[in-house]
Amino acid sequence: MLRFRLALLCCLLCVPWAAAQPAELAPLTSVPGDPARGRAVVRDAGKASCLICHAMPIPEEPDHGAIGPSLAGIGSRAGPGALRRRLVDPAADNPGSVMPAYHRVDGRERVLSRLRGQPIYTAQEVEDVVAYLATLTDPAAPVPSPSPAVPEDGAARSGAFYLGAATRRLQEDEFLNPGMFAVDRGRELFHRPAGDDGRACATCHDDGSIGAMAARYPRYEAARRGIVDLAGAIDAMRRDKLGAPPLGRESEDMLALSAFLAWAAKGQRRDVDIEGPARPFFEQGREFFATRRGQLNLACAQCHDALAGAKLRGDKISQGQIDGFPIYRLMWRSMASVHRMFAWCNTALGAEPFASGSPEYLALEFYLAWRGRDLPVAAPGVRR
């Protein structure tokens, strides 16, 4: 989780440090900053490593970012007071900056309870980082050459497009794709009797008729007066048609059955109708996508729209499309729903997540389904 949290931090410094010329800011502590401690802070994955966004003269680190400018020579381009001001509150000098304020705690929405009132950097950590950056006075210091960003042309692109070659091969080869184990389990559940009278999903739906089922969700349903996704539809049909207990949104069986149905819809585009009574839910999802939240005070759109295709250390930022869900996530060694991914992203921002199946996440999923409506279903995806 920390790695991704830091990846989100990399939205920092879209405007070069040298260009802003921030006002001087006095030291935050009476203890002078220590360059050695500051160097450790900027490398620490748990403390917002600058390397996620920037190339730096730290040769022992194999991967460097390319979103912000190189920090080689930054100490000769900006004084300690200007560096300190940029770290503490970059928006004070550039209101359009998406760099998180490392030493502000006000104006943040839905911050995780354990992080409330805490800045990203303590005052002493700010001083230590400033002291280290001030030592970087050689603009010719060797740094890794940035890899080119993926050109974005406005077309919707699957998350698989941004994967490394090895991970993409895992997804494309159904023999190697670990998500296919869930598909096989889901197929067995689809045919397994579930209700008191011995009926199964396959009693009403044969394998040949389910290809379009997953592509119809999420959608607005008048009977529910809201958005229903595939997991909600599965449990409703089990209850209403089979008299069977719910599987539970994040259960292994639900993920398996969802994966089987999504796999059966592979290659089809989602049918997403956002008009009429569905429109308020669509707008709710769009607003969620654009709203800053958490300790980092970032919105989904700031990475997945504004920075899609840019290099984050060893990765590329994707558009945040949901065509591959449910996915097999390698770092979790398990299947994952799109709502679990939403919760993880919120937590990575230092924001309190919503519950799986919440109105907020259903609206967000509905908006993202529309946003990626030109993409065919590609489940089960594989992600790092």
Side-chain angles (χ1 to χ4, degrees), residues 179 182-183 230 254-263 270 322-329 335-338 377-382:
V183 171
L230 183 59
M254 175 61 80
L255 290 167
L257 192 50
S258 298
F260 169 63
L261 294 174
W263 171 82
R270 283 189 172 87
I322 61 173
D323 55 293
F325 282 85
I327 61 169
Y328 185 92
R329 190 140 199 231
M335 296 297 293
S337 72
V338 69
V377 176
V382 178

mmCIF file of all heavy atoms in Angstrom, residues 179 182-183 230 254-263 270 322-329 335-338 377-382:
data_model
loop_
_atom_site.group_PDB
_atom_site.id
_atom_site.type_symbol
_atom_site.label_atom_id
_atom_site.label_comp_id
_atom_site.label_asym_id
_atom_site.label_seq_id
_atom_site.Cartn_x
_atom_site.Cartn_y
_atom_site.Cartn_z
ATOM 1 N N GLY A 179 -5.836 -15.422 -12.563
ATOM 2 C CA GLY A 179 -7.260 -15.161 -12.390
ATOM 3 C C GLY A 179 -8.141 -16.246 -12.972
ATOM 4 O O GLY A 179 -9.327 -16.338 -12.619
ATOM 5 N N ALA A 182 -9.928 -18.498 -10.540
ATOM 6 C CA ALA A 182 -11.209 -17.979 -10.050
ATOM 7 C C ALA A 182 -12.303 -18.198 -11.077
ATOM 8 O O ALA A 182 -13.450 -18.518 -10.725
ATOM 9 C CB ALA A 182 -11.079 -16.489 -9.724
ATOM 10 N N VAL A 183 -11.987 -18.043 -12.361
ATOM 11 C CA VAL A 183 -12.982 -18.296 -13.412
ATOM 12 C C VAL A 183 -13.454 -19.737 -13.350
ATOM 13 O O VAL A 183 -14.668 -20.019 -13.427
ATOM 14 C CB VAL A 183 -12.385 -17.979 -14.799
ATOM 15 C CG1 VAL A 183 -13.318 -18.448 -15.908
ATOM 16 C CG2 VAL A 183 -12.133 -16.468 -14.933
ATOM 17 N N LEU A 230 -22.544 -5.785 -10.652
ATOM 18 C CA LEU A 230 -22.657 -7.221 -10.894
ATOM 19 C C LEU A 230 -22.765 -8.004 -9.594
ATOM 20 O O LEU A 230 -23.587 -8.921 -9.486
ATOM 21 C CB LEU A 230 -21.450 -7.700 -11.702
ATOM 22 C CG LEU A 230 -21.450 -9.186 -12.103
ATOM 23 C CD1 LEU A 230 -22.671 -9.531 -12.951
ATOM 24 C CD2 LEU A 230 -20.155 -9.528 -12.848
ATOM 25 N N MET A 254 -17.957 -14.928 -4.326
ATOM 26 C CA MET A 254 -18.496 -13.828 -5.131
ATOM 27 C C MET A 254 -17.483 -13.388 -6.181
ATOM 28 O O MET A 254 -17.834 -13.158 -7.353
ATOM 29 C CB MET A 254 -18.864 -12.643 -4.236
ATOM 30 C CG MET A 254 -19.327 -11.409 -5.014
ATOM 31 S SD MET A 254 -20.821 -11.694 -6.008
ATOM 32 C CE MET A 254 -22.075 -11.559 -4.718
ATOM 33 N N LEU A 255 -16.230 -13.268 -5.791
ATOM 34 C CA LEU A 255 -15.205 -12.858 -6.741
ATOM 35 C C LEU A 255 -15.049 -13.890 -7.849
ATOM 36 O O LEU A 255 -14.850 -13.549 -9.018
ATOM 37 C CB LEU A 255 -13.876 -12.637 -6.018
ATOM 38 C CG LEU A 255 -13.843 -11.404 -5.114
ATOM 39 C CD1 LEU A 255 -12.620 -11.444 -4.207
ATOM 40 C CD2 LEU A 255 -13.843 -10.135 -5.936
ATOM 41 N N ALA A 256 -15.158 -15.170 -7.478
ATOM 42 C CA ALA A 256 -15.039 -16.223 -8.485
ATOM 43 C C ALA A 256 -16.209 -16.198 -9.453
ATOM 44 O O ALA A 256 -16.025 -16.277 -10.680
ATOM 45 C CB ALA A 256 -14.938 -17.585 -7.794
ATOM 46 N N LEU A 257 -17.435 -16.098 -8.934
ATOM 47 C CA LEU A 257 -18.602 -16.084 -9.809
ATOM 48 C C LEU A 257 -18.604 -14.824 -10.676
ATOM 49 O O LEU A 257 -18.928 -14.877 -11.875
ATOM 50 C CB LEU A 257 -19.871 -16.166 -8.963
ATOM 51 C CG LEU A 257 -21.188 -16.454 -9.689
ATOM 52 C CD1 LEU A 257 -21.075 -17.651 -10.617
ATOM 53 C CD2 LEU A 257 -22.314 -16.674 -8.670
ATOM 54 N N SER A 258 -18.208 -13.689 -10.112
ATOM 55 C CA SER A 258 -18.101 -12.457 -10.892
ATOM 56 C C SER A 258 -17.048 -12.594 -11.989
ATOM 57 O O SER A 258 -17.236 -12.119 -13.117
ATOM 58 C CB SER A 258 -17.741 -11.275 -9.980
ATOM 59 O OG SER A 258 -18.746 -11.044 -9.016
ATOM 60 N N ALA A 259 -15.930 -13.229 -11.654
ATOM 61 C CA ALA A 259 -14.866 -13.413 -12.639
ATOM 62 C C ALA A 259 -15.337 -14.304 -13.790
ATOM 63 O O ALA A 259 -15.030 -14.042 -14.959
ATOM 64 C CB ALA A 259 -13.632 -14.017 -11.977
ATOM 65 N N PHE A 260 -16.092 -15.349 -13.472
ATOM 66 C CA PHE A 260 -16.601 -16.226 -14.520
ATOM 67 C C PHE A 260 -17.553 -15.482 -15.456
ATOM 68 O O PHE A 260 -17.449 -15.576 -16.686
ATOM 69 C CB PHE A 260 -17.314 -17.430 -13.895
ATOM 70 C CG PHE A 260 -18.090 -18.249 -14.877
ATOM 71 C CD1 PHE A 260 -17.457 -18.904 -15.929
ATOM 72 C CD2 PHE A 260 -19.464 -18.383 -14.758
ATOM 73 C CE1 PHE A 260 -18.168 -19.661 -16.853
ATOM 74 C CE2 PHE A 260 -20.191 -19.135 -15.665
ATOM 75 C CZ PHE A 260 -19.541 -19.779 -16.715
ATOM 76 N N LEU A 261 -18.460 -14.702 -14.870
ATOM 77 C CA LEU A 261 -19.423 -13.966 -15.698
ATOM 78 C C LEU A 261 -18.736 -12.871 -16.511
ATOM 79 O O LEU A 261 -19.087 -12.638 -17.672
ATOM 80 C CB LEU A 261 -20.514 -13.373 -14.816
ATOM 81 C CG LEU A 261 -21.423 -14.394 -14.120
ATOM 82 C CD1 LEU A 261 -22.370 -13.696 -13.158
ATOM 83 C CD2 LEU A 261 -22.200 -15.229 -15.128
ATOM 84 N N ALA A 262 -17.750 -12.190 -15.912
ATOM 85 C CA ALA A 262 -17.022 -11.159 -16.653
ATOM 86 C C ALA A 262 -16.194 -11.788 -17.772
ATOM 87 O O ALA A 262 -16.101 -11.245 -18.876
ATOM 88 C CB ALA A 262 -16.133 -10.363 -15.697
ATOM 89 N N TRP A 263 -15.591 -12.937 -17.494
ATOM 90 C CA TRP A 263 -14.823 -13.649 -18.526
ATOM 91 C C TRP A 263 -15.735 -14.063 -19.676
ATOM 92 O O TRP A 263 -15.343 -13.985 -20.848
ATOM 93 C CB TRP A 263 -14.164 -14.864 -17.897
ATOM 94 C CG TRP A 263 -13.525 -15.790 -18.884
ATOM 95 C CD1 TRP A 263 -12.282 -15.669 -19.463
ATOM 96 C CD2 TRP A 263 -14.087 -16.992 -19.409
ATOM 97 N NE1 TRP A 263 -12.047 -16.718 -20.313
ATOM 98 C CE2 TRP A 263 -13.145 -17.551 -20.304
ATOM 99 C CE3 TRP A 263 -15.296 -17.648 -19.209
ATOM 100 C CZ2 TRP A 263 -13.379 -18.734 -20.995
ATOM 101 C CZ3 TRP A 263 -15.536 -18.825 -19.895
ATOM 102 C CH2 TRP A 263 -14.587 -19.349 -20.784
ATOM 103 N N ARG A 270 -19.407 -2.406 -22.486
ATOM 104 C CA ARG A 270 -20.485 -2.214 -21.521
ATOM 105 C C ARG A 270 -21.578 -1.318 -22.095
ATOM 106 O O ARG A 270 -21.307 -0.335 -22.770
ATOM 107 C CB ARG A 270 -19.942 -1.593 -20.236
ATOM 108 C CG ARG A 270 -19.214 -2.585 -19.341
ATOM 109 C CD ARG A 270 -18.908 -1.942 -17.992
ATOM 110 N NE ARG A 270 -18.382 -2.922 -17.052
ATOM 111 C CZ ARG A 270 -17.091 -3.246 -16.956
ATOM 112 N NH1 ARG A 270 -16.216 -2.670 -17.757
ATOM 113 N NH2 ARG A 270 -16.684 -4.139 -16.075
ATOM 114 N N ILE A 322 -11.667 0.317 -15.654
ATOM 115 C CA ILE A 322 -12.108 -0.843 -14.872
ATOM 116 C C ILE A 322 -12.487 -2.024 -15.759
ATOM 117 O O ILE A 322 -13.168 -2.946 -15.313
ATOM 118 C CB ILE A 322 -13.288 -0.467 -13.953
ATOM 119 C CG1 ILE A 322 -14.499 0.000 -14.756
ATOM 120 C CG2 ILE A 322 -12.854 0.612 -12.962
ATOM 121 C CD1 ILE A 322 -15.745 0.221 -13.902
ATOM 122 N N ASP A 323 -12.024 -2.031 -17.011
ATOM 123 C CA ASP A 323 -12.417 -3.092 -17.947
ATOM 124 C C ASP A 323 -11.921 -4.469 -17.548
ATOM 125 O O ASP A 323 -12.491 -5.475 -17.960
ATOM 126 C CB ASP A 323 -11.888 -2.760 -19.352
ATOM 127 C CG ASP A 323 -10.389 -2.526 -19.341
ATOM 128 O OD1 ASP A 323 -9.949 -1.524 -18.738
ATOM 129 O OD2 ASP A 323 -9.648 -3.341 -19.918
ATOM 130 N N GLY A 324 -10.860 -4.558 -16.746
ATOM 131 C CA GLY A 324 -10.283 -5.856 -16.403
ATOM 132 C C GLY A 324 -10.802 -6.462 -15.120
ATOM 133 O O GLY A 324 -10.372 -7.558 -14.736
ATOM 134 N N PHE A 325 -11.720 -5.799 -14.425
ATOM 135 C CA PHE A 325 -12.176 -6.290 -13.114
ATOM 136 C C PHE A 325 -13.271 -7.339 -13.242
ATOM 137 O O PHE A 325 -14.080 -7.257 -14.163
ATOM 138 C CB PHE A 325 -12.673 -5.116 -12.272
ATOM 139 C CG PHE A 325 -11.552 -4.314 -11.673
ATOM 140 C CD1 PHE A 325 -10.946 -3.310 -12.390
ATOM 141 C CD2 PHE A 325 -11.076 -4.599 -10.410
ATOM 142 C CE1 PHE A 325 -9.898 -2.573 -11.864
ATOM 143 C CE2 PHE A 325 -10.043 -3.872 -9.861
ATOM 144 C CZ PHE A 325 -9.441 -2.857 -10.588
ATOM 145 N N PRO A 326 -13.251 -8.295 -12.270
ATOM 146 C CA PRO A 326 -12.307 -8.434 -11.168
ATOM 147 C C PRO A 326 -10.926 -8.839 -11.664
ATOM 148 O O PRO A 326 -10.793 -9.542 -12.664
ATOM 149 C CB PRO A 326 -12.925 -9.508 -10.276
ATOM 150 C CG PRO A 326 -13.857 -10.266 -11.140
ATOM 151 C CD PRO A 326 -14.306 -9.345 -12.221
ATOM 152 N N ILE A 327 -9.910 -8.385 -10.931
ATOM 153 C CA ILE A 327 -8.531 -8.640 -11.315
ATOM 154 C C ILE A 327 -7.868 -9.593 -10.337
ATOM 155 O O ILE A 327 -8.340 -9.776 -9.212
ATOM 156 C CB ILE A 327 -7.715 -7.325 -11.354
ATOM 157 C CG1 ILE A 327 -7.696 -6.680 -9.952
ATOM 158 C CG2 ILE A 327 -8.266 -6.365 -12.400
ATOM 159 C CD1 ILE A 327 -6.705 -5.532 -9.807
ATOM 160 N N TYR A 328 -6.766 -10.180 -10.785
ATOM 161 C CA TYR A 328 -5.868 -10.852 -9.855
ATOM 162 C C TYR A 328 -4.741 -9.871 -9.580
ATOM 163 O O TYR A 328 -4.036 -9.450 -10.490
ATOM 164 C CB TYR A 328 -5.303 -12.145 -10.437
ATOM 165 C CG TYR A 328 -4.465 -12.909 -9.422
ATOM 166 C CD1 TYR A 328 -5.049 -13.884 -8.617
ATOM 167 C CD2 TYR A 328 -3.110 -12.641 -9.262
ATOM 168 C CE1 TYR A 328 -4.307 -14.562 -7.670
ATOM 169 C CE2 TYR A 328 -2.354 -13.320 -8.320
ATOM 170 C CZ TYR A 328 -2.962 -14.275 -7.526
ATOM 171 O OH TYR A 328 -2.212 -14.953 -6.589
ATOM 172 N N ARG A 329 -4.568 -9.491 -8.316
ATOM 173 C CA ARG A 329 -3.512 -8.539 -7.969
ATOM 174 C C ARG A 329 -2.329 -9.298 -7.375
ATOM 175 O O ARG A 329 -2.446 -9.991 -6.356
ATOM 176 C CB ARG A 329 -4.029 -7.505 -6.979
ATOM 177 C CG ARG A 329 -3.010 -6.378 -6.819
ATOM 178 C CD ARG A 329 -3.678 -5.025 -6.731
ATOM 179 N NE ARG A 329 -2.717 -3.968 -7.030
ATOM 180 C CZ ARG A 329 -2.525 -2.905 -6.253
ATOM 181 N NH1 ARG A 329 -3.238 -2.751 -5.165
ATOM 182 N NH2 ARG A 329 -1.653 -2.000 -6.595
ATOM 183 N N MET A 335 -7.742 -12.444 -5.835
ATOM 184 C CA MET A 335 -8.636 -11.681 -6.680
ATOM 185 C C MET A 335 -9.083 -10.424 -5.943
ATOM 186 O O MET A 335 -9.116 -10.383 -4.710
ATOM 187 C CB MET A 335 -9.857 -12.518 -7.063
ATOM 188 C CG MET A 335 -9.556 -13.732 -7.908
ATOM 189 S SD MET A 335 -8.840 -13.320 -9.531
ATOM 190 C CE MET A 335 -10.242 -12.500 -10.323
ATOM 191 N N ALA A 336 -9.423 -9.405 -6.719
ATOM 192 C CA ALA A 336 -9.843 -8.143 -6.120
ATOM 193 C C ALA A 336 -10.981 -7.544 -6.927
ATOM 194 O O ALA A 336 -10.933 -7.513 -8.157
ATOM 195 C CB ALA A 336 -8.671 -7.163 -6.063
ATOM 196 N N SER A 337 -11.983 -7.052 -6.222
ATOM 197 C CA SER A 337 -13.087 -6.342 -6.863
ATOM 198 C C SER A 337 -12.683 -4.897 -7.107
ATOM 199 O O SER A 337 -11.728 -4.378 -6.515
ATOM 200 C CB SER A 337 -14.319 -6.371 -5.958
ATOM 201 O OG SER A 337 -14.121 -5.523 -4.830
ATOM 202 N N VAL A 338 -13.446 -4.223 -7.942
ATOM 203 C CA VAL A 338 -13.156 -2.820 -8.194
ATOM 204 C C VAL A 338 -13.402 -1.982 -6.943
ATOM 205 O O VAL A 338 -12.698 -1.003 -6.686
ATOM 206 C CB VAL A 338 -13.978 -2.305 -9.397
ATOM 207 C CG1 VAL A 338 -15.463 -2.228 -9.083
ATOM 208 C CG2 VAL A 338 -13.465 -0.948 -9.865
ATOM 209 N N VAL A 377 -14.720 -5.586 -22.342
ATOM 210 C CA VAL A 377 -14.441 -6.292 -21.085
ATOM 211 C C VAL A 377 -13.219 -7.175 -21.275
ATOM 212 O O VAL A 377 -13.103 -7.875 -22.296
ATOM 213 C CB VAL A 377 -15.661 -7.124 -20.644
ATOM 214 C CG1 VAL A 377 -15.346 -7.927 -19.391
ATOM 215 C CG2 VAL A 377 -16.872 -6.214 -20.414
ATOM 216 N N ALA A 378 -12.289 -7.122 -20.318
ATOM 217 C CA ALA A 378 -11.018 -7.845 -20.464
ATOM 218 C C ALA A 378 -10.675 -8.631 -19.210
ATOM 219 O O ALA A 378 -9.508 -8.801 -18.876
ATOM 220 C CB ALA A 378 -9.905 -6.866 -20.794
ATOM 221 N N ALA A 379 -11.687 -9.118 -18.510
ATOM 222 C CA ALA A 379 -11.469 -9.851 -17.262
ATOM 223 C C ALA A 379 -11.127 -11.314 -17.542
ATOM 224 O O ALA A 379 -11.571 -11.865 -18.537
ATOM 225 C CB ALA A 379 -12.719 -9.769 -16.387
ATOM 226 N N PRO A 380 -10.372 -11.920 -16.605
ATOM 227 C CA PRO A 380 -9.781 -11.336 -15.422
ATOM 228 C C PRO A 380 -8.456 -10.647 -15.753
ATOM 229 O O PRO A 380 -7.578 -11.222 -16.381
ATOM 230 C CB PRO A 380 -9.554 -12.541 -14.511
ATOM 231 C CG PRO A 380 -9.315 -13.687 -15.458
ATOM 232 C CD PRO A 380 -10.167 -13.397 -16.663
ATOM 233 N N GLY A 381 -8.334 -9.393 -15.311
ATOM 234 C CA GLY A 381 -7.084 -8.684 -15.493
ATOM 235 C C GLY A 381 -6.050 -9.143 -14.493
ATOM 236 O O GLY A 381 -6.372 -9.793 -13.487
ATOM 237 N N VAL A 382 -4.817 -8.814 -14.763
ATOM 238 C CA VAL A 382 -3.718 -9.056 -13.829
ATOM 239 C C VAL A 382 -3.026 -7.717 -13.617
ATOM 240 O O VAL A 382 -2.706 -7.014 -14.567
ATOM 241 C CB VAL A 382 -2.714 -10.082 -14.382
ATOM 242 C CG1 VAL A 382 -1.549 -10.272 -13.387
ATOM 243 C CG2 VAL A 382 -3.397 -11.424 -14.657
#
